[in-house]
Amino acid sequence: EVELERSELVELLDRALGMLPQESREVLIERYVRDSPHAEIARKLGLTGPAVAKRIERGRLRLKQVLSTYMLRDSMRFGLERSLYDDWDETDIWCPVCGRRHLLARFVGGELWLVCTPCESLVATLPVSHYSNGGSPELFRGIRGYRAANDRLDELHWQQNGRGVAGQGQSCLRCGREMHYRIGYELPSRDHYAALWCDTCRNGYWCFKPCSLLLASPESLEFRREHPRVRLLPEREVEAGGVPALFTGYESLTGCARLEGVFVRDTFEPIAIHVTPGS
């Protein structure tokens, strides 16, 4: 039984590693599977020692992210959830999905990472931008505290995507080819998302949902100051102005207030954002 459990754990970690970017996967395999010292990894991958250490740390965090979201139920079978976030800081920012727990946070290599500790709503609906890495040292220059850093990220998110993703793109970090957004949906929730995708490298980058775009809107900033504890409403397809659209929203857990948004389904362009005050 012990041997069977060990083989199942190895299979779980192997699947989790397969979901990581190649650069993260190869450095973790070198360090923890082949037990290579940092100097040997640096020589083999053509990196400096500090670059290897940073890539290992970021790879470990990405692996934790996969195990605590997409593979949460399997992780819980082996008791892994107890150690996934033991070195993170608890913030005073409520999870915008379940509204029951505060987000955990870390700065890693100048990037802000935010997660909600494992809850059922996280697995299917947590806006990707709120448990994924984002930003840069320049973006957070002069910023103190996780809340201020998160607000800065939301401002940037709205500046870049507040008019939708039609025609938007950027160069692939690997091959330099132009990438554009694709609209897809998750299973089983069927929540829609926009993702930058490189057809040459077959690799995805920045990804977000209408609910995270709504959360980054100017209307949301004032709404969340008055109603810090909210929960995410189910996304649903609607028709607005004769075009297929997506409805998403948040409701206050301490009153009747709501923040609701309607976005064009194929571009995520905002059609309407409405705040219903609490009575």
Side-chain angles (χ1 to χ4, degrees), residues 199-234:
D199 290 316
T200 303
C201 296
R202 310 296 296 176
N203 193 52
Y205 289 91
W206 167 239
C207 176
F208 67 91
K209 299 181 181 181
C211 55
S212 71
L213 190 56
L214 175 62
L215 205 64
S217 67
E219 291 87 348
S220 172
L221 295 178
E222 183 175 349
F223 177 82
R224 284 184 291 157
R225 290 191 190 100
E226 297 183 18
H227 309 281
R229 290 192 65 181
V230 300
R231 65 182 172 192
L232 180 63
L233 300 172

Side-chain angles (χ1 to χ4, degrees), residues 31-49:
R31 178 66 186 92
Y32 296 108
V33 178
R34 298 172 182 160
D35 200 26
S36 303
H38 281 208
E40 183 178 334
I41 298 174
R43 184 170 57 254
K44 183 178 294 187
L45 300 181
L47 301 170
T48 64

